[in-house]
Every structure is written in structure tokens, then in C-alpha cells.
Amino acid sequence: MSNGLTESSWSMENLQVTDEIINSLAKILQVYSDYLSSHIHVLNKFISHMRRVSTLRFERTTLIKYVKKLRFFNDVLIEYDLTKSGAYNDNIGGLSEGIKPIGMYLEKILEILDLLNFYLTQSLQKEIISKTLNEDLTLTESSIVAINDTYNHFVKYTQWMIDSLGIKSDLLQLEVIKFALKCAEEDGTDMEETENIFLHQVMPVNNEGEYALLTDQWSSVLEGKLDILKNEYASLADKWHEKFGKAKN
């Protein structure tokens, strides 16, 4: 990460959208689309198996609602074309103004995933055991770890894409970040020593090239986390298949 702004005649507000940045952001949006697709895919399998358990009708309906929401978010990402956005073509307001609508949309996605992940990894697990008296449809511990770790890194990137440009707006905040900072302040946490990724400081970028480079590095990190998550989801699908046999999705 950058160590701060260089001494120059321009300020961060002067950063402009470049072709390199557009290409880097397009890669990131594709990673987010893959992230959503991985959720949609495994949830569809989960929902299919839940059909066989009559006591989980309400829970199944809830997951169907989440899938519809995620599919809508994903369709928007797939159809979104950065090269056709006026804010990027005309550099209206510079890079910061171009990033704001993307950041806001990604935050919307992450807030929904926060609710889904809580429901999927905690509330639903208890309901499944309570209503079925077995763990045939529960998640594995390793899959829960991967779900949370992957989510945390997507959250951190989204914070970085905004904060690294010095954008300050009450409308561009994630609840999990704000809550973590509040708790850290109350507990007197040493921000330099903590392992909590939400508390790691985001440094401003120096120029457009650095923003593009770090965005590409984040893409690689998120792809790595996503690969781990996909492997866990594949293992879950195999577990459910062994318990319930073939199911048409």
C-alpha cells in the first residue's frame, strides 16, 4: 500500500479515470460477479435438497428470496459497462466521482450478503438441527470459516477502493467497518497490532497508476479467497448429494 501523498502541485481530487483503471475495475466487477454466482449456485443446490424436508418450508422460502435478490444484483453487474458510463468517458468530477456509484452498489451487495451469511451460518444451522434432529443439511466448520473470511476480504477491498481516494461520505459506509472501529475505540485496541482486517489503515494512493496496480492486486487476493470458498461449496454439495442422492436443480 502507498505511504501517503507525494509532494506535488496536484491533489487527490485531480486524479482522473484512465483506460488502465477502467480495465482494472472491470476485472474487479467480474470477481464480484463470480462471488455472487458461487452463492447462487450452492444455494440452489441447498434449496433443492431442502425440498425433501417438509419442516424446513419457511427456511427454504427465505433462501429463495435471497437467491432472487443475488441474481438481480449479479445481472446488473454483468450488464454494467464501464466504457459507456459518462462519468468515466468524460472524467466528470474525476476518479472519485466515478468510483462513488460503484462503491455504493458494491456496498449494497455486501450488506445483503452480511445478512445472508449470518442467517446461513448461524440461525439456519440451529433451525436445521432443531427441526431435523440431524446434521445432514448443515454446513461444515471449514465452509463457515471460508464464508466469513471471503466476505471480510471483499468488505476490506470495497473500503479500500473508496478510502484510498480520500472520499468522505456518510452514505459510503459499511456497517461492519463502522461497528468494528467503534468497538476498537471503546476497547482501546492497538490498530497497528490488531489482526482484525477491518481495522487495518487504508493509505491514500499517489496517482492513477498506483490505483490501477493495487486494484489488480486486490483482484488476485479476492480470486484466491473465492477459489477456497468454491472448493468448500463443492465439498458441501458432495456431502448433500451423499445424504440425499441425485436432485434436479
Side-chain angles (χ1 to χ4, degrees):
M1 296 291 180
S2 167
N3 291 322
L5 290 172
T6 57
E7 294 183 14
S8 63
S9 59
W10 54 267
S11 65
M12 194 167 294
E13 288 73 19
N14 296 126
L15 293 179
Q16 299 298 305
V17 179
T18 64
D19 290 340
E20 187 181 15
I21 288 176
I22 289 178
N23 291 334
S24 297
L25 289 175
K27 293 177 185 176
I28 275 287
L29 294 185
Q30 180 59 56
V31 176
Y32 269 80
S33 177
D34 291 345
Y35 185 34
L36 290 173
S37 294
S38 68
H39 277 289
I40 294 168
H41 182 68
V42 77
L43 287 177
N44 279 334
K45 288 183 176 295
F46 197 27
I47 290 167
S48 178
H49 291 308
M50 290 175 73
R51 185 186 296 121
R52 303 187 178 196
V53 184
S54 59
T55 54
L56 296 175
R57 289 191 301 272
F58 173 76
E59 289 78 7
R60 180 172 176 272
T61 300
T62 301
L63 288 181
I64 289 173
K65 179 64 176 178
Y66 273 114
V67 168
K68 289 181 178 179
K69 187 69 69 175
L70 297 185
R71 187 175 290 118
F72 169 76
F73 285 146
N74 197 29
D75 287 345
V76 172
L77 283 181
I78 292 172
E79 295 172 3
Y80 186 66
D81 188 350
L82 285 167
T83 63
K84 294 181 180 180
S85 171
Y88 291 94
N89 288 330
D90 303 327
N91 259 313
I92 301 173
L95 179 57
S96 294
E97 289 303 312
I99 285 297
K100 286 180 182 179
I102 297 179
M104 195 170 294
Y105 190 75
L106 295 183
E107 287 185 351
K108 183 190 298 186
I109 292 173
L110 291 172
E111 293 292 2
I112 291 294
L113 286 176
D114 186 27
L115 296 176
L116 170 60
N117 290 345
F118 177 81
Y119 179 67
L120 187 63
T121 64
Q122 298 190 49
S123 302
L124 182 56
Q125 299 305 294
K126 295 176 183 178
E127 287 298 314
I128 289 174
I129 294 174
S130 174
K131 292 182 177 181
T132 67
L133 303 180
N134 61 61
E135 298 182 354
D136 292 349
L137 276 173
T138 57
L139 305 182
T140 60
E141 286 298 325
S142 59
S143 68
I144 292 175
V145 170
I147 288 170
N148 291 330
D149 186 52
T150 303
Y151 174 78
N152 290 349
H153 280 79
F154 273 84
V155 166
K156 190 61 183 182
Y157 164 71
T158 306
Q159 180 197 22
W160 175 87
M161 77 179 298
I162 296 167
D163 289 1
S164 65
L165 295 176
I167 298 172
K168 304 295 182 182
S169 172
D170 290 339
L171 298 178
L172 284 168
Q173 298 185 71
L174 281 160
E175 185 269 337
V176 290
I177 296 286
K178 188 172 183 178
F179 182 73
L181 290 170
K182 178 182 178 182
C183 291
E185 182 178 354
E186 293 175 351
D187 298 339
T189 302
D190 187 339
M191 298 295 193
E192 295 184 359
E193 298 295 331
T194 181
E195 295 182 358
N196 187 337
I197 190 174
F198 294 157
L199 302 180
H200 294 174
Q201 186 178 7
V202 173
M203 302 302 293
V205 295
N206 290 316
N207 51 56
E208 293 91 341
E210 184 179 19
Y211 190 81
L213 175 63
L214 293 178
T215 300
D216 287 340
Q217 291 178 0
W218 268 111
S219 289
S220 296
V221 170
L222 297 181
E223 286 172 346
K225 294 297 180 180
L226 193 50
D227 284 342
I228 295 173
L229 181 63
K230 287 178 179 178
N231 288 334
E232 289 293 338
Y233 279 168
S235 296
L236 280 177
D238 290 342
K239 170 194 171 185
W240 297 331
H241 180 79
E242 290 177 5
K243 296 293 183 179
F244 293 92
K246 294 182 178 180
K248 294 181 179 180
N249 295 320

